[in-house]
Each structure stands twice: as structure tokens, then as C-alpha cells.
Amino acid sequence: MSEKDMPTPPWERPRRRPAPARIPLTRDRIVEAAFVVLDREGYDRLSMRQVAAELGVAVSALYAHISGKDDLLELMYHRLFDGAEVPDPDPARWQQQIREYASQSRDRLKRHRDAARISMGNVPFSPELLPHMERLLALLSAAGLPDRVTAIAGDLLSTYVNGFVLEEGMWAERYRDTDVRSWEAMRDEIRGYFASLPPDRFPNMVRLAELMVDESNDYRYDLGLEIILRGLASYIGDQSMPREHG
């Protein structure tokens, strides 16, 4: 028997590698993949097909866990509340508690590209989020605000935070993939434009130009929130608006 006819020793035979274990598809994995797509592609390009590709599965596999894109966006919205905590009401510190709550909400939204767009398209009235809303209303009510003010104050705060983060994201998106001038250069250009306006026609624009363009987003956010809080505080003890509805 020649060497070429000799049987291959068993220790030299190619061995079939075991197939890697498949990770079960779950709602949590789908939502996590959706945020990966959102951060990479943005809200307008987020799709079921993109999420399926991120997971390495067929689009049809997603529908065993979620009903469609609207369902996916609602699940992503719920995920945005992960880590959100509303403190027990402390009437003596209600304004500081609201500041902390609102700023934490802003920080959570800024963790993901276009998260504010998802937030603005949903409402926190699902069974999962109702306890969160109940605690926020309790905090506002304990401050002594009239019921009519308390009823819309939570939505007012949410609209402010969502809108502010949305604007921040829009400006960031505008300059994301371009070699455009820095904000400092653009700010100087805007300042120069305001300075060139006829002061007799635009006295306030000229006078406030420096303040309108020379402050950071954090400063603008904090001042806007302070304006809202002082407005809410003005209703405490207001006899023209009854404490209780009806």
C-alpha cells in the first residue's frame, strides 16, 4: 500500500467546529439594536430593516416580538426612562427637586442621537410609566401649586426639556459630517451681523447681540428652566386660582 493510499490518522482528520450558540431574540435585544442604529443613522433612517440587519436576522423575526415601528418607538421611549427617579416630595425644596429632575431628563435624552424626537412623539401614559407621572404630580402638588397649574406643569417641563434637547441635536446634526467653521467663528459672524444692523430700526437686537450669542447651551438651559420655575412659584397662594379644581 502506497503512502497516498494510507488512511488518515484520526487525530489529523478535520474536525467540525461546533456552531456558535445563538442568542435568543428578545424585545430588549431589539431595543438595544434600535438605539445602535439610531445613534449611527439618525431618526429618519431608523427602520425595522436596519434593526434586523444590526441583529443579523430577517425582518420577519422582529415581528414575533414587536408589532411594527410604532411599537418599537414606544419601547425605545420607555427605555429612555431607565434610571429616572422622582424624589419624595419636599415642599421646602421643590424648586431644586424640579431642577434636578429636569436636568437628569436632559442628560438622558442627550445620550442618544435624536432621542428627543422619539420623546416628543410619545406620551407617558402607559401602565409602565404611570407610576413615574404620579410621583412627578405629587412633587408639584406638594409645592402648593393650584390643581389647574399642577395638571399641566409636568407637560410644560417635558416640552421645555424635549424642545431644548431637540434644538441642540439639530445644530449638532447640521455640523456632524462637515468641516464647517467652529461655533466660535460662527458666533463672531452672527455678532458682526447684528452689529451691522441699523440701531434706529433694531435697537434691541444691537443692544442684546452679545448676550444672544455669547452664552453656552448649559447657561441658556438653566436660565430657561429658572424662568419656568419662577413662573410656577408665582401661582402658589394665588387666590384668583382655586387650589382644587371644581
Side-chain angles (χ1 to χ4, degrees), residues 120-132:
M120 293 189 82
N122 288 271
V123 291
F125 297 151
S126 63
E128 297 87 348
L129 297 181
L130 282 178
H132 178 93

Side-chain angles (χ1 to χ4, degrees), residues 124-158:
F125 297 151
S126 63
E128 297 87 348
L129 297 181
L130 282 178
H132 178 93
M133 292 306 302
E134 175 63 25
R135 288 183 63 83
L136 178 58
L137 290 173
L139 191 157
L140 292 164
S141 182
L145 296 172
D147 285 353
R148 287 184 177 274
V149 176
T150 299
I152 67 167
D155 182 62
L156 174 66
L157 289 165
S158 176

Side-chain angles (χ1 to χ4, degrees), residues 63 123 151 190:
Y63 289 99
V123 291
I190 295 173

Side-chain angles (χ1 to χ4, degrees), residues 228-241:
I228 292 174
L229 289 172
R230 292 192 186 191
L232 290 174
S234 71
Y235 283 96
I236 297 176
D238 187 345
Q239 300 302 315
S240 67
M241 182 169 288

Side-chain angles (χ1 to χ4, degrees), residues 73-86 101 108-109 118-138 158 162:
L73 290 173
E74 184 176 354
L75 291 171
M76 295 174 74
Y77 176 62
H78 288 177
R79 181 69 65 86
L80 293 175
F81 281 81
D82 280 2
E85 295 184 1
V86 183
Y101 168 80
R108 287 197 308 276
L109 288 175
I118 293 176
S119 184
M120 293 189 82
N122 288 271
V123 291
F125 297 151
S126 63
E128 297 87 348
L129 297 181
L130 282 178
H132 178 93
M133 292 306 302
E134 175 63 25
R135 288 183 63 83
L136 178 58
L137 290 173
S158 176
N162 284 332

Side-chain angles (χ1 to χ4, degrees), residues 1-228:
M1 180 181 293
S2 64
E3 289 186 9
K4 65 180 181 179
D5 295 325
M6 293 288 289
T8 303
W11 56 84
E12 293 185 5
R13 292 174 188 166
R15 299 186 180 183
R16 181 176 298 174
R17 295 180 179 176
R22 298 194 61 171
I23 304 174
L25 195 60
T26 63
R27 279 190 164 199
D28 283 343
R29 287 193 63 213
I30 293 171
V31 171
E32 289 167 6
F35 274 112
V36 172
V37 174
L38 181 71
D39 290 336
R40 183 178 65 237
E41 305 290 344
Y43 181 88
D44 290 329
R45 296 192 62 188
L46 175 66
S47 67
M48 298 286 283
R49 187 174 299 277
Q50 288 270 15
V51 175
E54 182 65 29
L55 289 164
V57 300
V59 177
S60 58
L62 302 184
Y63 289 99
H65 302 274
I66 58 177
S67 61
K69 186 175 178 181
D70 287 344
D71 190 19
L72 176 62
L73 290 173
E74 184 176 354
L75 291 171
M76 295 174 74
Y77 176 62
H78 288 177
R79 181 69 65 86
L80 293 175
F81 281 81
D82 280 2
E85 295 184 1
V86 183
D88 293 331
D90 182 352
R93 297 185 63 254
W94 74 271
Q95 291 193 54
Q96 184 58 30
Q97 288 183 314
I98 292 294
R99 286 189 195 95
E100 293 169 358
Y101 168 80
S103 294
Q104 289 168 7
S105 298
R106 180 187 176 212
D107 290 342
R108 287 197 308 276
L109 288 175
K110 290 177 67 175
R111 289 175 193 160
H112 294 287
R113 178 180 178 183
D114 289 341
R117 292 182 65 177
I118 293 176
S119 184
M120 293 189 82
N122 288 271
V123 291
F125 297 151
S126 63
E128 297 87 348
L129 297 181
L130 282 178
H132 178 93
M133 292 306 302
E134 175 63 25
R135 288 183 63 83
L136 178 58
L137 290 173
L139 191 157
L140 292 164
S141 182
L145 296 172
D147 285 353
R148 287 184 177 274
V149 176
T150 299
I152 67 167
D155 182 62
L156 174 66
L157 289 165
S158 176
T159 300
Y160 173 69
V161 175
N162 284 332
F164 196 95
V165 176
L166 178 63
E167 183 188 43
E168 287 184 288
M170 290 172 62
W171 280 100
E173 189 72 23
R174 180 173 296 183
Y175 298 111
R176 182 182 298 277
D177 300 317
T178 56
D179 276 334
V180 193
R181 308 145 298 176
S182 65
W183 162 245
E184 288 76 15
M186 187 171 67
R187 180 186 60 192
D188 291 342
E189 189 173 284
I190 295 173
R191 184 188 295 114
Y193 172 73
F194 285 159
S196 70
L197 294 173
D200 57 325
R201 294 181 57 196
F202 304 99
N204 294 300
M205 295 287 290
V206 173
R207 177 172 59 88
L208 298 173
E210 291 287 334
L211 297 176
M212 291 173 67
V213 300
D214 204 35
E215 302 295 351
S216 68
N217 279 341
D218 288 345
Y219 174 85
R220 292 172 58 240
Y221 170 82
D222 288 341
L223 181 58
L225 183 58
E226 188 65 24
I227 292 170
I228 292 174

